[in-house]
Amino acid sequence: MPSPRKKVAAEPTGGRGSRAEKTTAASRGRTATKRPATKKARATKTSAEATSTKSNAPTLVELIRRYLAAQSEPRSAAEVHAALNQAHPERAIQTTVVRNTLEGLVAKQQAQRTKQGSSVYYTANTELAPAEAGKGK
């Protein structure tokens, strides 16, 4: 008759698997491998690399402000998005990001929002343009 197996109490650990499983893996000649970096850590690394390589490129806020200043008529967020994607195909700009940036400019009083029916149009705030140009120099 075979002898009964001893029960090993599993200790709660922060990692995957119990201490007994890790010990067993180590005794077989395998070492426990480190978990790959989390998605957040990888995203932070890639965004940091992207900003360091594109440090001389204008920000999205600057691009939108310049585009609106060059226009004589109000533009919708979709029109601004289409123009920026055509002018800067290397940048992957989403419509929602353009819309949020436009709303941020409105909040800072650097752009004006007008509604025509259910559509929203944006124009550059011409009152602040000369004052802003003087600040930069």
Side-chain angles (χ1 to χ4, degrees), residues 1 5 11 23 26 28 37 44 50 62 73 82 96 108 123 133:
M1 183 161 126
R5 290 188 177 187
E11 296 179 19
T23 307
R28 291 184 191 151
T44 304
E62 291 171 357
E73 296 180 358
T96 54
K108 295 178 191 174
T123 56

Side-chain angles (χ1 to χ4, degrees), residues 5-11 18-20:
R5 290 188 177 187
K6 293 182 182 177
K7 292 185 179 180
V8 178
E11 296 179 19
S18 67
R19 179 174 285 173

Side-chain angles (χ1 to χ4, degrees), residues 49-131:
E49 291 170 355
T51 55
S52 67
T53 59
K54 297 180 182 180
S55 62
N56 59 353
T59 63
L60 183 61
V61 174
E62 291 171 357
L63 290 175
I64 291 175
R65 205 179 312 149
R66 288 179 197 167
Y67 176 76
L68 287 178
Q71 302 304 308
S72 59
E73 296 180 358
R75 301 288 178 194
S76 68
E79 291 171 332
V80 174
H81 172 257
L84 290 177
N85 273 343
Q86 188 174 13
H88 303 280
E90 71 280 359
R91 297 178 76 146
I93 305 170
Q94 297 179 346
T95 308
T96 54
V97 175
V98 172
R99 188 177 304 116
N100 290 338
T101 305
L102 285 164
E103 289 298 324
L105 288 172
V106 170
K108 295 178 191 174
Q109 297 179 348
Q110 296 176 2
Q112 294 177 343
R113 173 183 45 227
T114 55
K115 286 190 83 169
Q116 295 178 3
S118 61
S119 302
V120 179
Y121 295 95
Y122 300 90
T123 56
N125 197 347
T126 55
E127 297 171 6
L128 292 180

Side-chain angles (χ1 to χ4, degrees), residues 36-46:
T38 61
K39 288 181 183 179
K40 185 176 180 180
R42 278 183 264 147
T44 304
K45 183 178 179 182
T46 55

